[in-house]
Each structure stands twice: as structure tokens, then as C-alpha cells.
Amino acid sequence: MNSPISNPYIVEARYTEQHIPQYRNNVLIAALPPIPSDEQLAEELFEFPEFAGAQREWPTSERLCMVAELSHLLRPLQRHINLARAFDTLIRTGYSRRGVRSKEHMETYQRLYEAQQEGRAFPRQMKRSANAQLSSALIGLPGIGKTTTVRRIFLRYPEGIHHPDGVLQIPYLHIECPHDGISVKGLALSILRKLDLLVPDAKYLELYKPSLAAEVLLNHCARALHNHYVGVLVIDEIQNLRNAGKTKVSLMAALVTSANELNVPIVFSGTNKALKVLNLDGSVARRSSAAGFPTWESLTKSGDLTAPEEWEDLISTLWTFQWLKKPVILDEVMSNFMFECCQGIPDFAVKLFMCAQWRGMLDGTETFSIETLAAIMSNELSRIAPIVEALKTGDADALCRYEDITPPEFTSLLDDALNAYEGVRQRGAALTADSPAFVPRVTSILVEAGINEDRALSMASKVAEEGKAVGIVEATSAALKLAKPPAPVRGKKKPANEAAKLIQLAPDDYRNAIRRANENDTTTFDELVAMGAARPLHELLGYV
């Protein structure tokens, strides 16, 4: 391995004295950032865009981009601070049972080696420990901010810490299950791939080939985690495990075994659907309910801005970031309506607020109203309607069905807003027929489409004379319609003799009755009887 400093996110260890007895004389803990106060945690978790009132006079294009910065906003609430505290305690407590090249550390290596010789991921006989396992689970609604908060918390720690004796310590490893599911082998490869990104020149994926059996790969993975003293392993989006029951059971059993054997705490993170996964095995369920990780429900609401709960704290902070020239004042009516739209889900609230500002900028009103918010919920954010309705009614079954629905990405929402307004969607969209560039621009596009230059010029000129089209796209579409032949007039009957010339029918074709009825001024039924293709009703019934 080359110098670890080739990775800019790996730092040289600097040790601090530990006052807690069980943390003393442990370099893995001493190299971590000092235990923070709640105030320090809140300050480190804050994520606000840069804002000043003067920015409201900036060009619309720049203000649109500033509004997009709200996608990174994080207003720390007590639940965020509690989660950060729980993670910090979990990492330190896990390290307190481990030491750099200690006797226990080397014994674990030996057991993993013996398991490898047997073709197994872990030893048949697990080591016994009097310590309770501290792994847990972070469960909550989609859009509540679980993954965003975890990532912000982990920014407190370096990705890697290089110790003077050559040990490379990795305080955390964050793995996300893909949406199409993951297996035991897939999990092992994800962990090795992440270690390759963190550890300079490790090349684990080259060393341990993906074609190896799942048990063998998991054993290599366990040794890599052990070798780099991983402080906590977070398995995010755990609800995305494959549907096959045996696969789920084997994967969860492997995770539990690795936590026991390596003393590496594991945190399972996911939506309410993950509870079904975690309850597959009793030991997993017990392990996912410890270490101070409560279920994250919707933000609590008081309905009174002067006596705020979580929702009022969030919306009051969010409301200060308005780049509209006519900013909207937040009152309890607006706050409560926003809550009704979002049901206390922070991600929904931020996106609704962003869309409202984009609409105000693009339609020229430079403001928004409750009616604007309602329209956005029916259009741009219509995808989240099932979740919002399920939360309103408290329908648990509906939440299970729709729990993985998330609103569109921020970039998609901005594209939708831009596409809704002419003049912003593209260059030349506001070009009018009286502009000198109108006819040449339309002609050029028609020529590129394969139309003769003289014909294209004539078509473009005619569209300009009509003066109805606004913008290049609309003008080009109108010109192309001129190139189409007129559609045949429907409903116009051709003379009978002309139809006879055009269509030659077989003598027994029923359609001959229609033609003869027109020629002889009789009914179609009479002609069918004459052809022997039909019989009068009284004959069918047996009457004379």
C-alpha cells in the first residue's frame, strides 16, 4: 500500500486524553474527534444556503438556482441531535471492546482464518461475550430525513485515520442497498467496493474475485472490516432486500453473525417496510431495538407559531429563505396549510416551498398563495398524494403500500417548472413574427429537417404573415403543418356508379345488397332476400 495521505480524506492520527475509564488507553477512541456537547452537534449539523435580502433583486435565472440550494437545508431538531449522540456513543462503545493488534484482535483473525479453511464465512462455534450487542435500526417514513441526517453526522468523522504503526482505522462505513435488491454476495461486494474507495491501493475487488462463492466473499469481507477497525457499519435502505425468503434470512443471519464475531456495531436503516425484514429472525429484531435509535415519525405540530413544536421550528426557519421580490409572510394559516399538504414530512415541505418560489418567479407574480400551493400539490407533487392521504387518515395498510413513494428529484422539479413557461424553456422561445430573425430562424430549421430552401422560406413567410405563432418551436410546428397534404373530407358520398368502378365485389358479397338498394331505390333487406342471403321473419317462424 502506498502512502495513505494519497487519499485526501485520510488524516494522521492525533490523540486526545479520555476521561471515561473504559475509553482510556485505547488509541482507536483517542483518535476520534472529542465527545461533543449538544450545542456543538447542532452547530455541526446546520446546513443553510447563503442568503441576503439583496439577492431578491438578482436576475431570475440566478434566483432560480439559489432556490435550488434549499435541497441541502438541514435545520437540526432534537431528534437529529439525539441521533448524532447515539451514533457517537455506538462507535466509541464498539471500539472499547477492541484494541489495535490486541490479543482479542488476533484471536478473531485466527477464527476467521479457520473458518476460511472450512469454506465458511464465520466459525461454526461463535465466541461467547457477556457484553450486549449495540447494533440497532433507524426506521422512519420516506422523506423524513434519515439518510440525509446520517450523512451529515458522519461528516464529523474523518473517512480514515492513519496511525503511526501503519494501522488504517475507518470510523464508519455507509452502504446503501440498491432498489433492485441485494444478496449476501451483493452486500459483500458493496462493502469491498466501498473499502476500495477509502483505502488507497487496496484493490479488494481485484484480490477477491466476484466469482467466488458468497460464503468465501463474506469471509474476505469480514477480515477486511476487522483489518481496518471499522467503527460502525450502516446498511441503508434495508427494505430493498430481495424478495426471496431464504435470501433474506441468510443475509440477515450473516449480518448478525458478523456483528457478534467482529464487535462491529451494525445499524439497519430503512422505511417501515424494513420492519418486516428485521422481524425475520428474533435475534435481528432484538438487535434492532437498542442503542437509542427511536422510530422517526412525522414532525410534531403545535399549530401555534409562538409555542413551536418540530414543525413550527422547521417551517419558520425555511420561510426566511425567500428569493421572491414580494416575499410571503408566514402566519398560522399558512403554516397549518403547509402541514396539511406535507403531513410533517420535511422533504415534502422543502420541495413544495421551492416549487412555490419557482412559480412566482416564472409567472411574474413574484409571490405565491395558498391556491398556488394547492395547485402544486395537484401537479408537480401529485406523486406523493397517496402518502399524504394515508398519513391524514392514519391508514396503516395504505402506508405499507405507498411507503416507498418519493417525490421527484429537485432537478426534475426545476425542469418541470421551466418547461411550463414560454420564454424560459429555451433560447428563442419568445421570438415573435415581427422580429427580423423570425423568418430566417424558422427557415433554417425547416431546411435542416430536409425541406427545399425555397419551399422552407415560403412556409416561414406565410407563418410570419399569419402572426399567430410565438417562439421558434410553435412557429416551426405551424410551418410543418403547411407541408402536409389536406386531409380527405369525411362523410362525402361518392356516386354509386363511381363506387362500383372503384370496388369489384364477388357476386355473393353481402355488400352488393347495399349498392343495389341505392341503384333500385329499395331496402337493403329486400336485396338480401333477393340474393338468398336473408329470409322474411314469418317464414323463419313457420307462418304462411
Side-chain angles (χ1 to χ4, degrees), residues 56-199:
R56 292 171 177 154
E57 301 304 321
W58 286 4
T60 299
S61 58
E62 294 181 357
R63 290 185 293 135
L64 290 171
C65 294
M66 292 303 296
V67 172
E69 290 299 306
L70 286 174
S71 61
H72 306 298
L73 181 141
L74 176 60
R75 198 286 190 196
L77 304 171
Q78 191 60 47
R79 65 172 66 191
H80 300 101
I81 296 172
N82 292 344
L83 183 63
R85 176 74 62 209
F87 264 113
D88 191 74
T89 302
L90 191 66
I91 293 172
R92 294 175 194 277
T93 305
Y95 277 142
S96 69
R97 305 171 188 176
R98 305 154 70 187
V100 173
R101 294 173 181 152
S102 63
K103 177 184 177 181
E104 293 78 13
H105 185 80
M106 302 311 295
E107 288 176 349
T108 299
Y109 262 133
Q110 181 66 30
R111 286 193 298 273
L112 290 173
Y113 167 72
E114 292 172 357
Q116 181 187 20
Q117 293 297 92
E118 298 174 1
R120 300 176 58 83
F122 300 100
R124 293 179 183 273
Q125 184 65 36
M126 294 297 300
K127 66 177 181 179
R128 299 180 65 185
S129 173
N131 295 321
Q133 184 55 249
L134 290 177
S135 299
S136 192
L138 176 61
I139 305 300
L141 296 165
I144 201 68
K146 303 181 299 296
T147 300
T148 299
T149 305
V150 169
R151 288 173 178 166
R152 288 291 304 168
I153 289 171
F154 283 158
L155 289 179
R156 294 196 64 250
Y157 307 92
E159 291 187 352
I161 303 174
H162 182 240
H163 294 263
D165 56 2
V167 169
L168 182 59
Q169 172 189 357
I170 297 177
Y172 67 91
L173 205 61
H174 189 183
I175 305 296
E176 291 192 31
C177 293
H179 290 290
D180 56 353
I182 194 169
S183 61
V184 174
K185 179 180 286 190
L187 173 66
L189 291 174
S190 295
I191 293 175
L192 294 175
R193 188 177 297 109
K194 192 63 175 284
L195 288 173
D196 274 346
L197 294 174
L198 297 175
V199 182

Side-chain angles (χ1 to χ4, degrees), residues 122 133 135 175 177 182-184 187-188 191 218 221 225 233-235 238 241 248-262 264-268 277-278 283-284 287:
F122 300 100
Q133 184 55 249
S135 299
I175 305 296
C177 293
I182 194 169
S183 61
V184 174
L187 173 66
I191 293 175
L218 203 56
C221 186
L225 291 173
L233 174 62
V234 177
I235 310 295
I238 194 69
L241 290 180
K248 285 182 180 179
V249 173
S250 61
L251 176 56
M252 297 307 296
L255 292 173
V256 172
T257 302
S258 64
N260 286 334
E261 184 67 23
L262 304 177
V264 176
I266 295 181
V267 174
F268 305 102
V277 176
L278 297 174
S283 61
V284 178
R287 188 157 282 101

Side-chain angles (χ1 to χ4, degrees), residues 18 20-30 98-100:
Q18 301 298 304
I20 299 176
Q22 61 267 32
Y23 294 171
R24 294 173 186 165
N25 303 318
N26 188 316
V27 296
L28 298 173
I29 297 177
R98 305 154 70 187
V100 173

Side-chain angles (χ1 to χ4, degrees), residues 16-57:
T16 57
E17 184 179 354
Q18 301 298 304
H19 299 288
I20 299 176
Q22 61 267 32
Y23 294 171
R24 294 173 186 165
N25 303 318
N26 188 316
V27 296
L28 298 173
I29 297 177
L32 294 174
I35 299 175
S37 65
D38 285 357
E39 292 75 15
Q40 289 173 322
L41 283 176
E43 183 177 350
E44 292 176 356
L45 291 175
F46 265 109
E47 180 71 19
F48 290 168
E50 294 186 12
F51 175 79
Q55 295 172 356
R56 292 171 177 154
E57 301 304 321

Side-chain angles (χ1 to χ4, degrees), residues 26 35 71 77 108 125 133 152 165 174 182 207 231 233 237 275 313 359 361 381 412 437 473 476 518 527 537:
N26 188 316
I35 299 175
S71 61
L77 304 171
T108 299
Q125 184 65 36
Q133 184 55 249
R152 288 291 304 168
D165 56 2
H174 189 183
I182 194 169
L207 184 62
L233 174 62
E237 306 296 347
L275 290 174
D313 283 339
R359 277 208 180 195
M361 293 176 187
L381 298 181
S412 175
V473 173
T476 305
N518 291 331
E527 297 298 335
L537 182 61

